[in-house]
Amino acid sequence: MQFTMRRRLVATSIAVALGATTLAACSSDSDGKDAAGSGPVSLTYWAWAPGMDKVAALWNKGPGKEAGIQVTVKKQASGDELVTKIITAAKAKKAPDLVQAEYQAIPTLVSNDVLADITDDTKGAKDKFAPGIWQQVTLGTDSAYAIPQDSGPLMFYYREDLFKKYKLSVPTTWDEFAETARKLKKADSSKALTTFSANDSGLFAGLAQQAGAKWWTAEGQKWKVAIDDAATKKVADFWGGLVEEGAVDNQPMYTPAWNKALNTGKQIAWVSAVWAPGVLTTAAPDTAGKWAMAPLPQWTKGENTTGSWGGSSTGITNDSQHKEAAAKFATWLNTDEEALAAMVKDGGIYPAATAAQTGGALSKAPGFFSDQPDFYTKAAEIAKTTAPSAWGPNVNVAYTTFKDSFGKAAKAKKQSQFGSALASMQDDTVADLKKQGFEVAE
């Protein structure tokens, strides 16, 4: 299929265009044997999650041995580095059989003919996941290009002891959140409820997702980019306003100064994801047992929706000569009780499969939240409310512009610059799509 044709069809008929290409190029095995039918299938899996080799060993000794399918894990870096590496490998026809792909990278990998349409080989998996999670591996089509592995539903974390000290109520709406920030600042100007950080684009994307944003969608045979839509503008204006009035801090996360602010109680709350306890354990060790978790504030009182920050899936490449065998492993990996328990224990992930989000390895709250025994029960309920996302083939460009433009806006403490930063994200993303050969709806 020609390059330009792929660019046009990826927006609307990925399942037909790329699926047909896959079937024409490679035939799937049906019984776990290799192409010659002489022995067990050997699969290679590129992944970065810790302990994935231990999980694969369980497969190799159990169901994999029975099916004649053995998996070797090759540890990789995550993020853009892995995306670049696997696209390069695919162009040389040397991609692995399976790859751990972050949700926002899936459109990029599909449009570059890296990921195969695995719909027929993963029937029955859809019901194992929340609709908003499953949607991230389908790109809004009826086809599946990966199986969800872990997720990062957004939540609100706060210092329970300091909320009591300053007589603050846990905000259930964003308006209440803003009032809480102002009330704290009035009571003690040395403290801040939280900070707006521009060094991790994923949090902002998740907040926009909760507000109803769909940054990339398909219109006919074109991509529609709406990063500067009304929902995202509402989020940008909200945080820009709080930064300008000084109700929240404007410093980036994951710095020594940020760690100190959390550890000393200078910053008493954090909008984060389900994996936050692990970060707090390192960043604020002196505060163990003093935090609590609650659902994310809502834009309208009574609503019940969250966004997501992070998460990944298991995809199968078009280069694989054993797609059916690879799909069997990927399905087991992300839906089997033993596999999921091992990933929680050895990889520290929060599984995307709804059945694994409580009980078993998650039956006990994180040590950092020892005073909230229902932590994972509450987290599972929140995860079910994850809003659909809408990723496109050049998320990396949008994220890079966010860090630069919103970083400058936060430093300047000007709400108007937050709007300008959003416009820059929109313009840069559209320009890059056109440069790559995609058709873009104006």
PDB file of all heavy atoms in Angstrom, residues 268-287:
ATOM      1  N   ILE A 268      -0.299  20.477  49.672  1.00  0.00           N
ATOM      2  CA  ILE A 268      -1.071  19.505  50.450  1.00  0.00           C
ATOM      3  C   ILE A 268      -2.018  18.646  49.619  1.00  0.00           C
ATOM      4  O   ILE A 268      -2.789  17.857  50.180  1.00  0.00           O
ATOM      5  CB  ILE A 268      -1.852  20.209  51.576  1.00  0.00           C
ATOM      6  CG1 ILE A 268      -3.027  21.020  51.018  1.00  0.00           C
ATOM      7  CG2 ILE A 268      -0.940  21.123  52.378  1.00  0.00           C
ATOM      8  CD1 ILE A 268      -3.972  21.519  52.102  1.00  0.00           C
ATOM      9  N   ALA A 269      -1.961  18.741  48.307  1.00  0.00           N
ATOM     10  CA  ALA A 269      -2.806  17.900  47.461  1.00  0.00           C
ATOM     11  C   ALA A 269      -2.127  17.695  46.117  1.00  0.00           C
ATOM     12  O   ALA A 269      -1.213  18.447  45.744  1.00  0.00           O
ATOM     13  CB  ALA A 269      -4.189  18.522  47.269  1.00  0.00           C
ATOM     14  N   TRP A 270      -2.585  16.682  45.401  1.00  0.00           N
ATOM     15  CA  TRP A 270      -2.014  16.377  44.101  1.00  0.00           C
ATOM     16  C   TRP A 270      -3.070  15.692  43.242  1.00  0.00           C
ATOM     17  O   TRP A 270      -3.632  14.667  43.644  1.00  0.00           O
ATOM     18  CB  TRP A 270      -0.791  15.474  44.250  1.00  0.00           C
ATOM     19  CG  TRP A 270      -0.052  15.166  42.977  1.00  0.00           C
ATOM     20  CD1 TRP A 270       0.004  15.939  41.853  1.00  0.00           C
ATOM     21  CD2 TRP A 270       0.750  14.003  42.718  1.00  0.00           C
ATOM     22  NE1 TRP A 270       0.798  15.345  40.901  1.00  0.00           N
ATOM     23  CE2 TRP A 270       1.274  14.157  41.408  1.00  0.00           C
ATOM     24  CE3 TRP A 270       1.089  12.880  43.455  1.00  0.00           C
ATOM     25  CZ2 TRP A 270       2.097  13.207  40.823  1.00  0.00           C
ATOM     26  CZ3 TRP A 270       1.913  11.922  42.878  1.00  0.00           C
ATOM     27  CH2 TRP A 270       2.417  12.080  41.580  1.00  0.00           C
ATOM     28  N   VAL A 271      -3.356  16.240  42.093  1.00  0.00           N
ATOM     29  CA  VAL A 271      -4.199  15.574  41.108  1.00  0.00           C
ATOM     30  C   VAL A 271      -3.294  14.600  40.366  1.00  0.00           C
ATOM     31  O   VAL A 271      -2.342  15.015  39.692  1.00  0.00           O
ATOM     32  CB  VAL A 271      -4.828  16.588  40.126  1.00  0.00           C
ATOM     33  CG1 VAL A 271      -5.600  15.853  39.034  1.00  0.00           C
ATOM     34  CG2 VAL A 271      -5.744  17.549  40.867  1.00  0.00           C
ATOM     35  N   SER A 272      -3.560  13.321  40.517  1.00  0.00           N
ATOM     36  CA  SER A 272      -2.668  12.327  39.936  1.00  0.00           C
ATOM     37  C   SER A 272      -3.458  11.082  39.552  1.00  0.00           C
ATOM     38  O   SER A 272      -4.689  11.097  39.521  1.00  0.00           O
ATOM     39  CB  SER A 272      -1.548  11.987  40.932  1.00  0.00           C
ATOM     40  OG  SER A 272      -0.562  11.178  40.322  1.00  0.00           O
ATOM     41  N   ALA A 273      -2.741  10.008  39.256  1.00  0.00           N
ATOM     42  CA  ALA A 273      -3.378   8.768  38.824  1.00  0.00           C
ATOM     43  C   ALA A 273      -3.265   7.696  39.896  1.00  0.00           C
ATOM     44  O   ALA A 273      -2.678   7.913  40.965  1.00  0.00           O
ATOM     45  CB  ALA A 273      -2.752   8.295  37.516  1.00  0.00           C
ATOM     46  N   VAL A 274      -3.769   6.533  39.597  1.00  0.00           N
ATOM     47  CA  VAL A 274      -3.817   5.449  40.580  1.00  0.00           C
ATOM     48  C   VAL A 274      -2.429   5.024  41.039  1.00  0.00           C
ATOM     49  O   VAL A 274      -2.269   4.462  42.121  1.00  0.00           O
ATOM     50  CB  VAL A 274      -4.601   4.251  39.989  1.00  0.00           C
ATOM     51  CG1 VAL A 274      -3.825   3.615  38.844  1.00  0.00           C
ATOM     52  CG2 VAL A 274      -4.951   3.231  41.064  1.00  0.00           C
ATOM     53  N   TRP A 275      -1.413   5.320  40.239  1.00  0.00           N
ATOM     54  CA  TRP A 275      -0.055   4.912  40.590  1.00  0.00           C
ATOM     55  C   TRP A 275       0.641   5.919  41.506  1.00  0.00           C
ATOM     56  O   TRP A 275       1.803   5.746  41.866  1.00  0.00           O
ATOM     57  CB  TRP A 275       0.793   4.728  39.322  1.00  0.00           C
ATOM     58  CG  TRP A 275       0.564   5.746  38.244  1.00  0.00           C
ATOM     59  CD1 TRP A 275      -0.157   5.591  37.110  1.00  0.00           C
ATOM     60  CD2 TRP A 275       1.059   7.103  38.195  1.00  0.00           C
ATOM     61  NE1 TRP A 275      -0.151   6.741  36.356  1.00  0.00           N
ATOM     62  CE2 TRP A 275       0.585   7.689  37.000  1.00  0.00           C
ATOM     63  CE3 TRP A 275       1.852   7.865  39.051  1.00  0.00           C
ATOM     64  CZ2 TRP A 275       0.886   8.995  36.636  1.00  0.00           C
ATOM     65  CZ3 TRP A 275       2.137   9.173  38.697  1.00  0.00           C
ATOM     66  CH2 TRP A 275       1.663   9.724  37.508  1.00  0.00           C
ATOM     67  N   ALA A 276      -0.054   6.956  41.935  1.00  0.00           N
ATOM     68  CA  ALA A 276       0.543   8.009  42.767  1.00  0.00           C
ATOM     69  C   ALA A 276       1.197   7.510  44.059  1.00  0.00           C
ATOM     70  O   ALA A 276       2.219   8.067  44.476  1.00  0.00           O
ATOM     71  CB  ALA A 276      -0.500   9.073  43.096  1.00  0.00           C
ATOM     72  N   PRO A 277       0.642   6.489  44.746  1.00  0.00           N
ATOM     73  CA  PRO A 277       1.281   6.049  45.991  1.00  0.00           C
ATOM     74  C   PRO A 277       2.753   5.703  45.844  1.00  0.00           C
ATOM     75  O   PRO A 277       3.560   5.993  46.736  1.00  0.00           O
ATOM     76  CB  PRO A 277       0.455   4.817  46.385  1.00  0.00           C
ATOM     77  CG  PRO A 277      -0.905   5.121  45.853  1.00  0.00           C
ATOM     78  CD  PRO A 277      -0.645   5.811  44.533  1.00  0.00           C
ATOM     79  N   GLY A 278       3.115   5.120  44.690  1.00  0.00           N
ATOM     80  CA  GLY A 278       4.515   4.778  44.472  1.00  0.00           C
ATOM     81  C   GLY A 278       5.394   6.013  44.384  1.00  0.00           C
ATOM     82  O   GLY A 278       6.520   6.025  44.889  1.00  0.00           O
ATOM     83  N   VAL A 279       4.881   7.073  43.756  1.00  0.00           N
ATOM     84  CA  VAL A 279       5.635   8.325  43.639  1.00  0.00           C
ATOM     85  C   VAL A 279       5.755   8.993  45.003  1.00  0.00           C
ATOM     86  O   VAL A 279       6.830   9.465  45.390  1.00  0.00           O
ATOM     87  CB  VAL A 279       4.944   9.278  42.635  1.00  0.00           C
ATOM     88  CG1 VAL A 279       5.679  10.618  42.585  1.00  0.00           C
ATOM     89  CG2 VAL A 279       4.903   8.651  41.250  1.00  0.00           C
ATOM     90  N   LEU A 280       4.660   9.034  45.738  1.00  0.00           N
ATOM     91  CA  LEU A 280       4.667   9.682  47.056  1.00  0.00           C
ATOM     92  C   LEU A 280       5.603   8.975  48.027  1.00  0.00           C
ATOM     93  O   LEU A 280       6.219   9.614  48.881  1.00  0.00           O
ATOM     94  CB  LEU A 280       3.252   9.718  47.628  1.00  0.00           C
ATOM     95  CG  LEU A 280       2.264  10.644  46.900  1.00  0.00           C
ATOM     96  CD1 LEU A 280       0.849  10.434  47.435  1.00  0.00           C
ATOM     97  CD2 LEU A 280       2.681  12.101  47.056  1.00  0.00           C
ATOM     98  N   THR A 281       5.714   7.677  47.897  1.00  0.00           N
ATOM     99  CA  THR A 281       6.611   6.916  48.771  1.00  0.00           C
ATOM    100  C   THR A 281       8.037   7.419  48.653  1.00  0.00           C
ATOM    101  O   THR A 281       8.771   7.504  49.650  1.00  0.00           O
ATOM    102  CB  THR A 281       6.559   5.415  48.416  1.00  0.00           C
ATOM    103  OG1 THR A 281       5.223   4.944  48.601  1.00  0.00           O
ATOM    104  CG2 THR A 281       7.496   4.618  49.306  1.00  0.00           C
ATOM    105  N   THR A 282       8.423   7.773  47.433  1.00  0.00           N
ATOM    106  CA  THR A 282       9.777   8.271  47.199  1.00  0.00           C
ATOM    107  C   THR A 282       9.882   9.775  47.421  1.00  0.00           C
ATOM    108  O   THR A 282      10.848  10.261  48.014  1.00  0.00           O
ATOM    109  CB  THR A 282      10.207   7.957  45.750  1.00  0.00           C
ATOM    110  OG1 THR A 282      10.155   6.543  45.542  1.00  0.00           O
ATOM    111  CG2 THR A 282      11.618   8.453  45.479  1.00  0.00           C
ATOM    112  N   ALA A 283       8.870  10.504  46.951  1.00  0.00           N
ATOM    113  CA  ALA A 283       8.927  11.968  47.005  1.00  0.00           C
ATOM    114  C   ALA A 283       8.660  12.532  48.394  1.00  0.00           C
ATOM    115  O   ALA A 283       9.259  13.541  48.786  1.00  0.00           O
ATOM    116  CB  ALA A 283       7.925  12.570  46.017  1.00  0.00           C
ATOM    117  N   ALA A 284       7.760  11.894  49.137  1.00  0.00           N
ATOM    118  CA  ALA A 284       7.351  12.439  50.440  1.00  0.00           C
ATOM    119  C   ALA A 284       7.333  11.349  51.511  1.00  0.00           C
ATOM    120  O   ALA A 284       6.290  11.067  52.109  1.00  0.00           O
ATOM    121  CB  ALA A 284       5.986  13.091  50.319  1.00  0.00           C
ATOM    122  N   PRO A 285       8.463  10.716  51.779  1.00  0.00           N
ATOM    123  CA  PRO A 285       8.502   9.566  52.696  1.00  0.00           C
ATOM    124  C   PRO A 285       8.043   9.881  54.118  1.00  0.00           C
ATOM    125  O   PRO A 285       7.553   8.986  54.818  1.00  0.00           O
ATOM    126  CB  PRO A 285       9.977   9.152  52.663  1.00  0.00           C
ATOM    127  CG  PRO A 285      10.718  10.392  52.245  1.00  0.00           C
ATOM    128  CD  PRO A 285       9.800  11.063  51.278  1.00  0.00           C
ATOM    129  N   ASP A 286       8.183  11.138  54.545  1.00  0.00           N
ATOM    130  CA  ASP A 286       7.817  11.483  55.925  1.00  0.00           C
ATOM    131  C   ASP A 286       6.307  11.629  56.124  1.00  0.00           C
ATOM    132  O   ASP A 286       5.860  11.852  57.251  1.00  0.00           O
ATOM    133  CB  ASP A 286       8.493  12.801  56.336  1.00  0.00           C
ATOM    134  CG  ASP A 286      10.010  12.685  56.354  1.00  0.00           C
ATOM    135  OD1 ASP A 286      10.512  11.548  56.429  1.00  0.00           O
ATOM    136  OD2 ASP A 286      10.676  13.732  56.275  1.00  0.00           O
ATOM    137  N   THR A 287       5.547  11.502  55.044  1.00  0.00           N
ATOM    138  CA  THR A 287       4.101  11.748  55.140  1.00  0.00           C
ATOM    139  C   THR A 287       3.263  10.479  55.021  1.00  0.00           C
ATOM    140  O   THR A 287       2.048  10.540  54.845  1.00  0.00           O
ATOM    141  CB  THR A 287       3.647  12.750  54.065  1.00  0.00           C
ATOM    142  OG1 THR A 287       3.832  12.166  52.758  1.00  0.00           O
ATOM    143  CG2 THR A 287       4.444  14.038  54.145  1.00  0.00           C
TER     144      THR A 287
END
